[in-house]
Amino acid sequence: MDDESLKKLMCEMLRTAEGDGRLSPNQIGTAAGGDPGGSKPAWRALLRQIERVAVVLEAEGTLVALRKGKPVPLAEAKGVIRYAAKPNT
């Protein structure tokens, strides 16, 4: 999947996210075609690309990264993060 297709997928997923509206990178990777089964899930190969596209979406004001439920700039994010649509301000 190219970056533009992944960007469209991520925007759609953010727009339609259920529950708390947060998405994990592995949810996005699985939706992008990474098989969740196996000893090393195929979505792991997509993580760097997902991170790269997330930075673009953050810069465009579409996405916010969350660490322990609080917004954090992706450039400073470490550990487990989730993505959410940026709230309208």
Side-chain angles (χ1 to χ4, degrees), residues 30-45:
T30 300
D35 180 8
S39 61
K40 183 175 181 184
W43 55 262
R44 286 186 181 271

Side-chain angles (χ1 to χ4, degrees), residues 45-57:
L46 300 171
L47 288 180
R48 294 290 175 233
Q49 184 182 13
I50 291 166
E51 291 170 1
R52 187 173 60 243
V53 172
V55 169
V56 171
L57 291 173

Side-chain angles (χ1 to χ4, degrees), residues 25 48 51 65-83:
R48 294 290 175 233
E51 291 170 1
L66 302 169
R67 170 83 173 128
K68 296 184 179 181
K70 298 187 187 323
V72 61
L74 278 170
E76 299 172 17
K78 292 183 169 112
V80 177
I81 61 165
R82 299 288 182 258
Y83 302 125

Side-chain angles (χ1 to χ4, degrees), residues 6-23 27-28 57 61-64 83-88:
L6 181 59
K7 181 178 172 184
K8 288 178 185 175
L9 174 67
M10 288 174 69
C11 286
E12 178 65 19
M13 290 182 74
L14 289 167
R15 189 179 65 74
T16 61
E18 295 182 5
D20 64 6
R22 299 173 187 177
L23 298 171
Q27 287 175 293
I28 296 166
L57 291 173
T62 303
L63 173 145
V64 62
Y83 302 125
K86 186 167 185 177
N88 294 331

